[in-house]
Structure formats: structure tokens, C-alpha cells
Amino acid sequence: MPKVLDKVLIVEDEQALLAVLAKKFTIEKFKVFEAPNGQIGLEQAFQHHPDIILLDILMPIMDGMTMLNKLRQDPWGKSVPIIMLTNLSDEKKEAEAAKEGCYDYFIKSDWNIDDLVKKVKSKLKQ
Amino acid sequence: MEGTKYSPYMPIDSRIVSSMKVFSEASSILIFVVGALVLVSWNLKIAILTSIFHNFSLMAPHSALGAMFLGLALWLQQEKRSKRWVRNLGRGCALFVFILGIISFAGYVLGNNFFAGELFFRLVATSNWVVNLGKMSLGGAIVFIFFGLALLFLDFETKRGVRPAQVMAIMGGFISLVALVGYIHNVPSFVQGVAVSPAVPLYTVIVFFIFHLGILFAHPDRGFTRVLVMRSFAGKMSRIFLPTMFIIPPIIGWLVEYGKYIGLYTLGFNVGLETILNIFTLSAVVTAGIGLLKKQEEYKTKVDVDLLRKEGRFHNLVDIMDEGIAVQDEKGIISFINNRGSAVLGYKPEELIGKSATILFDEENQKIYREQMVKRRKGERASYEIVGLRKDGLKINAIVSPTPLFDEKGDFAGSMAVFTDITERKKAEFEREQFFNFFNLSSDIMVIADPNGAFKKVNLACLKILGYSEADLLTKPFIDFVYPEDKQATLDEMARQIKVGSSLNFENRFICKDGRVLWLSWIATYDKDKGITYATARDITKQKQLVLELKNERVISDAIMETFPGTFAMISQRGGTPRWNKNLEIVTGRTSEEISTMSNEQALEWFYTKENRVKIIEAMEKTFREGSAQLEVEHLLNRGRSHAIYFFNAARIELNKELYIVVWGMDISKIKKAEEDIKKEKEKVDLLAKDLEKFKLAVDNESDHVMITDKDGAILYVNKAGEEITGYMSAEVIGKNAGDLWGGNMSKEYYEKLWTVIDDIQKQPFVGEIINHRKNGQPYTAEVRIAPVLDKNNQVQFFVGVERDITKLKEAEQMKTDFISFASHQLRTPLTAIKWNTEMLRDVKSGELTVEQKRYLNEIENGEKRMADLIKSLLNISRLEAQKIKIEPKPTDIASLISSVISEVNSVANARNCAIIFNESDQPASLIDADPVLLKQVILNLLNNAIHYSKSRKCKIEIGFKEVEGHCQIDVKDEGIGIPSKDQDKVFSKFFRADNAVKVSTEGIGLGLYIVKLIIETGGGKVWFESTEGKGSVFHVAIPTSGMKRVVGDKELSI
């Protein structure tokens, strides 16, 4: 029986980063969905109901915080685990995100992809 | 009573008077009837009547008429007749008769056969008896004249009491008597008078005689008939003898004539007989009269003698009498005065007799005397008082009992006065009255007591003061009213008083009726003769109270004087100190003796130095002159051995016309010193005030908003900058709460935190950023530092807040931060791409790499890491500089913190062959309030430096911490390259790397120590080092054991 893969939604406007992340998570046996901005991210989220979302903040059209907000207003979206993935080290934003109940707030440049995957997996195991 | 000429002393017998009057009336009726009968008989020629008169001639008709008229006249003028017209009618009748008599008499005188009667009757009568008309006898005519006159003037009486009517009547009676005698002795001339006159008829004679008596008796108590009616002896005599003398001789004569007629004896015999009988009768009468007179005389003599004797006795009596007796006549001339009377008046009796009584009185009393005389004339005899004038001019008071005297005629003949000199009595009375007034009007108690202790007499004051009734006081022994404690003393004093005779100022207490107790002061005299005590008492209760009060006052004033902490003296103008208090003695060191005897000069010498004496004298003079003075002067104490500055306050008083100064003195040396001190303090304060002014000015002009509130946040002061920043004028905000005005923009938690810091528990300054809003509503961001100002008891007194409007700064910062964030984000993104892609490259799944490829990949990774670190450091610094990094001290175990850092850097340290030694065992275990993250960074940086700048092979790094002077001090010692001295002051600067450090590694940015310094110093600690180039360095970080300072911030350190 083919295993149901965990779905991960990656919302990131930098194409280079998005591609890498998508490649890595696919290798790690995730079903990957991509969105270049918050708007499409929302669509994707509602459409595919990922098991976890990696969310960038600074994005055009709709930024990460707004999407987070909107997501949390959705009955499904309320409970989906979200990891903010940003280079913006802004405590304010971090606090805000935490308020909206994101699992973690990672500075990209501090993290290896590997560790990222490990984190995601450990979260999904919970 | 008409008859004042009649002596009222001779009383009349009114019965006789009335009988006589009856007789008078009867006689008038008789004569009238007779006359009427004659007329009737003439008219009627009645034989009977003629027969009665056969022997006698009939009375002429006009005589009869006259007779009738006479009868009428008398009858009408009887005394009892009151109507005037009746009497006048009577007079008219009398007048007719008189005229008739005159005419008839005139007929005889003129020799005229003048038959008046005829004339008369012719007019009225018939002719019948004209022939037989007789004429009136001469005697009759004369009688008619007399009687007519008498009856005309019947009521007339002279001043001397003579009644002409009586005289006339007697004349008429005498004529009739003569006629009667003529009839008896048959002597026609007696009867006729003249030859031509017919004989007056016998019955006429008798009737005339009776009638004359009737006229006489008309007013029997008047004139000389009075004697007949008197009760006196004379009256009796006259009543007996007068009729006898008129009746008896005629009877004797008739008897003799009858004897002769019947032939009893011869002519000579009967004459002789008559003579004898007359002699006999006369002598009998005379003898009787003499006898009676003799008796009368004897009686009178006896009376006289008696009277004389009596008078003599009376005189003696009168003279012995205590009273004066004086008799004055009606003119007021003194006719008699007894010895006593004259003596009382200071005269001899002969000096007063014959003098007018008025000399005995002064002008005022003469008036009284004259008034009294008027009363005497009226017969009043009431007693009166008068003041007489003695010979020597003295006045005497007399009571006069007067008796008016009237003579026999009833005229006022003077008066007799019995008078008593009542001067003495009056004086005595006056004195008694005075005494009595004095006794009763006196406001002092006056009593008369007997030696047995009973009041005999008490005055009104006594009753009033003690409140008892007279009955109460007189019936009980007076000792009963004495206050029990004083009873014995009173009794003793009574006894003493009796012995000695008087008692002076004896004081005792009496109980009043209402229970009050009064003090009385007695003066008493004991009268041995009378055996009574006279005493007067004065109520001295008030005085006693006053004395007591005075005593109390004295006690109080003494107490005041003695308890006064200073000196007191009373100085007499004349010299000397009559009063002073003990302190004066103590302070000056002089004895009581010395002070009492010192003169003013002596006092000056003893108490003041030469230079000050003038001042004292001036002050004293001022006091005497103006009434008061004050002075501060040096006062010699302790017999001149020491001195002190004294303040004197003096006042002038007057006692018994003497002037004194009373003066209080107080040692003010300490006060003076205090004054000096205060002056200095004041100067200091003034300086301080000036400084404060300057300070205030500075604060006012300070560009930051400075505000002071009370512990509840009400604004006490706000400076100019505050006004500008908040938009509120300071006047508007004073007293109001700052938070209400421009706060309220932050979260509730923020304010709670704020208050927690500054007040509730921590009472620490709160430093942070706050958003307030201006008056116009515009929000602004301020950097605020609010510090509590605590008092001695660690209670908040004030808050001092300093605010800096950092809105623009904030904006700039925000821009900077945003920029940095953005920049760092932008810088990081490509780095992330590099990192992850290289990571993917490394991943086997991407394909195997050659060694060379791996090498190139490493370089790329290194480059990326450096970039990343640089960006991180830049970010941290910008945050640290912006003071946005928050320091959150937490109880931190320093030891374990150090351990964890060591474990982190261990790999790096091993790579460079460095051993990190941390001696935990001999470090005190302690928890310090420190921000673990930041402190970790600090320790990390220091250790990293120590590792990096170690001298390659086998280095030792020591790390430890200890408590020093209230600080937790962490030391990191290395044996590295050290810091060249020239660079030592720069090592904490941003981006600084010493030359030797650069040689070791070009990789360092020069921010490590800068960050350490920033963190530690912001946290309230200190960082320093010792270093020797080439040898090594020791770095010290000290954090106060009270903990790192909390800093509110919104950023964390980017690790």
C-alpha cells in the first residue's frame, strides 16, 4: 500500500530558496506544495490542506503575517502547524506570530535545511 | 349771746326769767282787758261795771284805750315775738300811747281844758256819754308818756347794759305807787297830782303798777332787773327784799288806815303805830339785810381769806409748781406771772408785770402768739407749743395750756396760761429720737444686752443682717447665734468686758437665719450702773474674705515670682528693693540680707560693669518717664565672677503715691547664641536658595520634560520643556494626575509594570519608552525615567520623572531599525540561498563531489558564515546602540552558566589546544539576578577572545567568579597575546582591533568587547582588564549582587 505522504506547503517569494526547499522536502518524501505569495498560499492551503506550512514573512501581494491571520480564522486553518521561516529578525513580528500560534520562528540564515526537515518531521510526529 | 357785757359768771335762774316773762305777758293782757272793760262799760253803760267802780272814778275812755294799746304794745313786743312787723306794730301802739300821754300832758301844761279825750272821741263816739267823759288824769298822762316811751324803746339797751325802758317803767311804777299810797292814806294830791286832774282810779293804779312790772319783766335778764333773776345771793336778796320794800309798807299803811277806819286807834296812834311798824319792819328788814350782808361779808371775807390763803397757797403752789403761770389782760399785758414762769424766761416777775406778752417771743413766734390770742377771744382753750424768748436771748420750747378769761359782762378779759418749759424735754425727746433714728437707721448692728447674755434690744440692721426676727433674738441667749467654734471665745470676752468695762474689735462669727456664717467685729461698752452692755458690730465678712483673698493673692504672686525662671526685682524710686525673687539671689550670688539693704547705686555696682551702668540708668529713667522699657545687657553673676547676657523688661507702677519699677530678667545667652546660629543657617539657606534658584532655572530651561509628582502621581512641578512637550501649561496641570492627562496610551500591563517598578515593591527607577499624547491629542513617543524619591522610612515621597520627546528620534530609529531589518533581511536572503544550495550540493543525493569540489564548497560556506556573522553583529550592535535590547534579569546560576558556555566553546578551544579551567568547587554557589542570554553572550565573547588570541600551543584559560564588594565578579584569565598598552584604551571601541590581534586573525570584526561593554554597563555592571602584551590578559566583569539592571526593550540580542 503506498504511504500517504505528509503534505507540506512552502510559501516563499524568493524563487531560489523556494526551489531548494521544495527539492529537499520532496527528497525527504513529502508532498510539497508551493506558493510565491500569501494569496496563492491561502488558496493552496485551503485547497490541499497541508499537514504543515512553512511561511515566509516578506512577500508581495500578501505578506506572511496577513496570511497567518487569515489562516487562523479558518476552522481548519486554526489548527494547522505553521513555521515562520524568515530572515527578518524582528521580535515584534515574532511575538505577533507566536500570538497567532505558530509553532516556531526560524531565521533562515541560521538554519541548515537538514535541521529544518528534522524539525518539521518532529513536529509532525507530535 | 348778746350779753358780753353781762358777766357770764353770774348765772341766772331761767325759771324765774320765764315766770317773769309770763308775768309780763299776763300783765299786758290784764291791762288790755281792763281797758277794754272800761271802754265797753263806757259804751254799754253797764251798771255792774259802774258799780264796781262806784267808789272810784272811771277811767277816761281814751285812757282805757291807751291802756289797751299799752297792753297791746307790751304783748306784741314780748321777747318771744320774732316777727319784725309784730314788734313794729307794738312800737306803733306804744307810740300812740305816748302821743296820747303827751297831748294829755300838754293839756295840763297849757292849762287848757283840753279834753283830748273828747276830741278824740268826738270823732268816733256818739253824743251820749260825751257829757260824762272824764279827762285823763295827770298821773295817767305822765304814766302814759313813760310807759309809751318804755314800750317804744323796749328793746333798746345801751352799751353799758342800761335799758331806758326799765327806767321809764320804774318811773311810771313809782307814780302809780305814789298814787297807791295816796289812796291808802287818802292823800288826793298823790292821786291827782294837780287839782284839775281827775283822780286816777285805784284799779288803774294797781294795774299800772302791775303793768310797770310787766314792762320791767319783759326782758328780765337784761338791765337792772337782771339782778332779780340771778341765782346769786344778790339775786336772792333782791327777789326777797325789793317786793318786800314795795309791798309791805303799803300794806302796813293800809292796815293802819283800816285800823284807824274801824276805829281801832286814834290818829296819832295810827301814825305812831305806822311809824313803829315801819321802824320795826325797816329795822327788821335792815337787820335782816345787815345779817345777810354780814353773812355775805363773812362769807366773802372767809372766801377772801380762803382765797388769799389759797392765793397764798396758790402763790406758793404757783411758785412751787414746775410750770409757769401767767395772766395777761385783754390787751396782752402781763398782769401776773409766777416765779417759775418768770425764771424760766430769765426774768424777775416784777420785770414782766405790766409788759406786753409779745416781748417773750421772736418775730416768728409772735405770729403764733397773735394767732393764739385770736383763739382766746373766741374762747378756745387748746394747748399749743411755742418757742419763747428769754431775757438773755436764748430760746425755750414751751407747751402752753391757756384759759381765756371773760368778765361778768362776758367780755374778753385776757387769758391765763400755764406753760411748761419743755426745752429740756424737747431736747431729750429730740435726742431720744436722734438716738432712736441712729439706733435703727445705723447700718451697723447695734444691740443692748444684759450680762446674762440676752439681747435686750436690737436695731433694724441687726435683724436685717442676721435675718432673725426680733422675737428670735430677744428670747434666746445670744450665744446661741454664735458660731460653735467661737462660742467659748465670745463667752470669755463677755466676762472680760464686764470686768474691764469695754471690748474693742472683738471678732467672732454669727450664724444667720439662712445658715450663712458672718464675721462680725464688735465694740462694746459695759455700763456698770445700769448693768447692761451696749454693743455695735460691723459685718466684716467681706473684709475677712478679702484678707483671705489677699493672702491667696500673695501666695499666688509669690509663687509666680518664685517659679519664674528668671530674676524679678521691684525697685523703689527712692532707693532700695522692697521685693525680689529667690532667683535674683541665686543668679547674682548675693544674699537676701545684701539685696534687702542695698541701695540702687550699690546694685549698679554689683550687677553691671562700668560701661553698662549708664544703659541701666537710662533704662530706669525711661521706665519712670514713659512707663516701660526693655533692655539687653550684660549682667554680672555670682558676685561678679561670671556674666551672661540678660533681657530685662521693666514697667512702672504706683503704690500709695510712690513710684516703683518692677523688672523681670531672663538669661538670653543661649538664645543669643542660637540667634547667631540661626543667622548663619539663614545665610546658608539663602545660598542654597540661590543655588536652588539656579538649579530651578536650569531645570526650567532643560530641554527634557522634568516633572515632580507626589506619591499618588499628582503633579507638583513641571518645567517649561514639559509644557512644550505635553502642550499643557504648568498651571493647568498642577495637582492633576500625569497619567490622566497625557498617558493612557500604553497597555494596562505596561502601566502595571511601571508602578510595580517605581512603587509597589521595587521602588526603583523605571526607565523605558512610553507613548503619551499631547493636549491636542497628538501622540508622541518619550524616553521616560521615573524615579521614586524615598523618605527615611523608605516610603515614596515624590516621583521625579524626566521625559524626552523622542518621537523624531524614534521615527529615525524606526527608520534605522526598519532599514537594518530590511537590509539584514535583504543581505540574508542571498546568503540563505548560498547556504542551502551548498547544503544540497553536499547532500549525497545530489551527487558525489570531488575533493576539489568539496574544497570550493567549504570556502563558499566559510564566506557565507562570515557574512552571516557580520550581519548578525551589525544587527546586534545597532540594537544595542539603540538600547532596544532588553535586559531581563532572572535568578541565574552563574556557575552553571559559565559551565554551559564552556561546553559550547570546548570544541573550538580543543582545536586550538586550549584548556579552559573553571574551578567550580571553590566558587560560592550563588544565584544572581542576571539576564542569562546576555550574560552568556558576554562570557562567550570573553572566552572566545581568550581562545582566539591564545598563543597557539597549549594555552590555559582560567575562568572563575567571586563576590567582591557587593558585586559578582567574573574573571577570565588567558595567556594570550595580550593588548599593547597604546591600544588598551581603544579595545572597547567599535570595530577596533589591535594590531597584534589583526596579525593573529583577520577575521575578527572588533565588536566582541564592544558588545560586552555595552551589555554589562547597560546592566549596571563594570568591565575592565589588565593586560601585558605578549603575556596575556585578565578580563573582569562585575555585576552588582543586587542584580543586573532591568532594561525594558523590545529586542533581543541576535545570537
Side-chain angles (χ1 to χ4, degrees), chain B residues 397-408:
Chain B
N397 292 78
I399 278 192
V400 179
S401 282
T403 310
L405 302 166
F406 296 92
D407 64 17
E408 319 79 45

PDB file of all heavy atoms in Angstrom, chain B residues 397-408:
ATOM      1  N   ASN B 397     -38.440 126.099 124.469  1.00  0.00           N
ATOM      2  CA  ASN B 397     -39.661 125.492 123.962  1.00  0.00           C
ATOM      3  C   ASN B 397     -40.639 125.375 125.106  1.00  0.00           C
ATOM      4  O   ASN B 397     -40.268 124.978 126.201  1.00  0.00           O
ATOM      5  CB  ASN B 397     -39.373 124.090 123.429  1.00  0.00           C
ATOM      6  CG  ASN B 397     -38.525 124.145 122.186  1.00  0.00           C
ATOM      7  OD1 ASN B 397     -37.324 124.343 122.265  1.00  0.00           O
ATOM      8  ND2 ASN B 397     -39.157 123.995 121.059  1.00  0.00           N
ATOM      9  N   ALA B 398     -41.880 125.754 124.837  1.00  0.00           N
ATOM     10  CA  ALA B 398     -42.876 125.646 125.909  1.00  0.00           C
ATOM     11  C   ALA B 398     -44.161 125.097 125.371  1.00  0.00           C
ATOM     12  O   ALA B 398     -44.527 125.314 124.216  1.00  0.00           O
ATOM     13  CB  ALA B 398     -43.110 127.016 126.530  1.00  0.00           C
ATOM     14  N   ILE B 399     -44.842 124.368 126.252  1.00  0.00           N
ATOM     15  CA  ILE B 399     -46.223 123.972 125.970  1.00  0.00           C
ATOM     16  C   ILE B 399     -47.088 124.898 126.797  1.00  0.00           C
ATOM     17  O   ILE B 399     -46.871 125.070 127.994  1.00  0.00           O
ATOM     18  CB  ILE B 399     -46.470 122.517 126.379  1.00  0.00           C
ATOM     19  CG1 ILE B 399     -45.963 121.606 125.263  1.00  0.00           C
ATOM     20  CG2 ILE B 399     -47.952 122.279 126.602  1.00  0.00           C
ATOM     21  CD1 ILE B 399     -46.399 120.192 125.408  1.00  0.00           C
ATOM     22  N   VAL B 400     -48.045 125.484 126.120  1.00  0.00           N
ATOM     23  CA  VAL B 400     -48.916 126.438 126.827  1.00  0.00           C
ATOM     24  C   VAL B 400     -50.306 125.857 126.889  1.00  0.00           C
ATOM     25  O   VAL B 400     -50.870 125.457 125.870  1.00  0.00           O
ATOM     26  CB  VAL B 400     -48.946 127.785 126.090  1.00  0.00           C
ATOM     27  CG1 VAL B 400     -49.847 128.760 126.806  1.00  0.00           C
ATOM     28  CG2 VAL B 400     -47.530 128.330 125.940  1.00  0.00           C
ATOM     29  N   SER B 401     -50.875 125.833 128.122  1.00  0.00           N
ATOM     30  CA  SER B 401     -52.286 125.466 128.305  1.00  0.00           C
ATOM     31  C   SER B 401     -53.033 126.734 128.674  1.00  0.00           C
ATOM     32  O   SER B 401     -52.930 127.245 129.787  1.00  0.00           O
ATOM     33  CB  SER B 401     -52.436 124.489 129.475  1.00  0.00           C
ATOM     34  OG  SER B 401     -52.066 123.239 129.088  1.00  0.00           O
ATOM     35  N   PRO B 402     -53.742 127.286 127.739  1.00  0.00           N
ATOM     36  CA  PRO B 402     -54.361 128.591 128.003  1.00  0.00           C
ATOM     37  C   PRO B 402     -55.796 128.464 128.504  1.00  0.00           C
ATOM     38  O   PRO B 402     -56.505 127.496 128.183  1.00  0.00           O
ATOM     39  CB  PRO B 402     -54.319 129.228 126.616  1.00  0.00           C
ATOM     40  CG  PRO B 402     -54.472 128.068 125.674  1.00  0.00           C
ATOM     41  CD  PRO B 402     -53.982 126.837 126.350  1.00  0.00           C
ATOM     42  N   THR B 403     -56.197 129.453 129.224  1.00  0.00           N
ATOM     43  CA  THR B 403     -57.610 129.539 129.612  1.00  0.00           C
ATOM     44  C   THR B 403     -58.035 130.973 129.361  1.00  0.00           C
ATOM     45  O   THR B 403     -57.495 131.913 129.955  1.00  0.00           O
ATOM     46  CB  THR B 403     -57.796 129.227 131.106  1.00  0.00           C
ATOM     47  OG1 THR B 403     -57.114 128.011 131.369  1.00  0.00           O
ATOM     48  CG2 THR B 403     -59.270 129.090 131.437  1.00  0.00           C
ATOM     49  N   PRO B 404     -58.983 131.186 128.503  1.00  0.00           N
ATOM     50  CA  PRO B 404     -59.419 132.574 128.257  1.00  0.00           C
ATOM     51  C   PRO B 404     -60.272 133.038 129.436  1.00  0.00           C
ATOM     52  O   PRO B 404     -60.989 132.230 130.064  1.00  0.00           O
ATOM     53  CB  PRO B 404     -60.255 132.454 126.982  1.00  0.00           C
ATOM     54  CG  PRO B 404     -60.705 131.030 126.919  1.00  0.00           C
ATOM     55  CD  PRO B 404     -59.725 130.203 127.669  1.00  0.00           C
ATOM     56  N   LEU B 405     -60.154 134.340 129.677  1.00  0.00           N
ATOM     57  CA  LEU B 405     -60.931 134.893 130.791  1.00  0.00           C
ATOM     58  C   LEU B 405     -61.968 135.869 130.262  1.00  0.00           C
ATOM     59  O   LEU B 405     -61.671 136.680 129.394  1.00  0.00           O
ATOM     60  CB  LEU B 405     -59.995 135.610 131.761  1.00  0.00           C
ATOM     61  CG  LEU B 405     -58.878 134.734 132.341  1.00  0.00           C
ATOM     62  CD1 LEU B 405     -57.822 135.593 133.005  1.00  0.00           C
ATOM     63  CD2 LEU B 405     -59.466 133.752 133.327  1.00  0.00           C
ATOM     64  N   PHE B 406     -63.137 135.773 130.820  1.00  0.00           N
ATOM     65  CA  PHE B 406     -64.186 136.738 130.443  1.00  0.00           C
ATOM     66  C   PHE B 406     -64.696 137.404 131.701  1.00  0.00           C
ATOM     67  O   PHE B 406     -64.815 136.794 132.746  1.00  0.00           O
ATOM     68  CB  PHE B 406     -65.331 136.040 129.717  1.00  0.00           C
ATOM     69  CG  PHE B 406     -64.894 135.447 128.423  1.00  0.00           C
ATOM     70  CD1 PHE B 406     -64.448 134.117 128.365  1.00  0.00           C
ATOM     71  CD2 PHE B 406     -64.880 136.223 127.271  1.00  0.00           C
ATOM     72  CE1 PHE B 406     -64.036 133.586 127.168  1.00  0.00           C
ATOM     73  CE2 PHE B 406     -64.457 135.670 126.083  1.00  0.00           C
ATOM     74  CZ  PHE B 406     -64.045 134.355 126.026  1.00  0.00           C
ATOM     75  N   ASP B 407     -65.012 138.708 131.590  1.00  0.00           N
ATOM     76  CA  ASP B 407     -65.561 139.374 132.785  1.00  0.00           C
ATOM     77  C   ASP B 407     -67.044 139.081 132.914  1.00  0.00           C
ATOM     78  O   ASP B 407     -67.595 138.347 132.109  1.00  0.00           O
ATOM     79  CB  ASP B 407     -65.274 140.875 132.742  1.00  0.00           C
ATOM     80  CG  ASP B 407     -65.962 141.553 131.570  1.00  0.00           C
ATOM     81  OD1 ASP B 407     -66.913 140.949 130.986  1.00  0.00           O
ATOM     82  OD2 ASP B 407     -65.547 142.660 131.202  1.00  0.00           O
ATOM     83  N   GLU B 408     -67.644 139.785 133.999  1.00  0.00           N
ATOM     84  CA  GLU B 408     -69.061 139.495 134.279  1.00  0.00           C
ATOM     85  C   GLU B 408     -69.907 139.821 133.088  1.00  0.00           C
ATOM     86  O   GLU B 408     -70.947 139.214 132.851  1.00  0.00           O
ATOM     87  CB  GLU B 408     -69.563 140.325 135.458  1.00  0.00           C
ATOM     88  CG  GLU B 408     -68.591 140.448 136.628  1.00  0.00           C
ATOM     89  CD  GLU B 408     -67.493 141.470 136.383  1.00  0.00           C
ATOM     90  OE1 GLU B 408     -67.812 142.569 135.905  1.00  0.00           O
ATOM     91  OE2 GLU B 408     -66.316 141.139 136.612  1.00  0.00           O
TER      92      GLU B 408
END
